[in-house]
Amino acid sequence: MGTSTLAALAGMGLFAILMMIVVGVLLAALVLSVAFRLVVGYMPSYLRALGAVVLTWIAAAVAMVVVGMVSHGSAGGLLSLVVQFLVGAAVVNYLLLSQNGSQIGYGKACVVQLVCSVIGIVLGLIVFAIMVVFFGGMLAHM
């Protein structure tokens, strides 16, 4: 294989990763909107949910760097999950407002974040099961 072939394969891989990130952000915004609807009672605008997801990912990345500097080992992993949850709830409370335009409160924002996490985990398990069936079937026929 020449270097141009390897460069093309690397470019295709980077494009696939970029597409997975874009689809992940769009799906996460939809899941957040549904979770907000289940907890608060109405569906926020999709663009606000999209902004909340992007801001949450950026703020969580910054928080992960700070947590990584402070702690090491398995306790750091658990602490980073807690920090990511709390940062996500703060962003939901700040960006996704109730019908009358006021903030929903940090407690409700935590419940929205919890419901969003549960929906995300269930969707992840469904995708994992589909992949296992698909690729397991392919491997069984080899």
Side-chain angles (χ1 to χ4, degrees), residues 1-124:
M1 273 203 229
T3 56
S4 62
T5 306
L6 291 176
L9 287 174
M12 288 173 26
L14 289 175
F15 180 72
I17 290 171
L18 178 66
M19 291 307 298
M20 287 188 335
I21 290 172
V22 168
V23 169
V25 168
L26 294 175
L27 187 61
L30 181 64
V31 168
L32 179 61
S33 294
V34 169
F36 194 85
R37 166 87 166 110
L38 290 173
V39 174
V40 178
Y42 86 101
M43 186 86 76
S45 76
Y46 186 71
L47 287 177
R48 283 189 84 85
L50 191 63
V53 167
V54 170
L55 187 61
T56 297
W57 283 11
I58 292 169
V62 170
M64 293 307 140
V65 170
V66 172
V67 168
M69 284 190 247
V70 173
S71 66
H72 299 287
S74 62
L78 180 62
L79 182 62
S80 67
L81 283 174
V82 171
V83 167
Q84 186 174 359
F85 178 82
L86 296 175
V87 166
V91 170
V92 166
N93 185 37
Y94 180 70
L95 284 182
L96 300 181
L97 304 174
S98 65
Q99 279 183 318
N100 61 7
S102 64
Q103 291 182 345
I104 61 172
Y106 194 72
K108 273 191 181 178
C110 285
V111 175
V112 168
Q113 192 70 11
L114 182 64
V115 170
C116 186
S117 298
V118 169
I119 292 172
I121 289 170
V122 169
L123 285 177

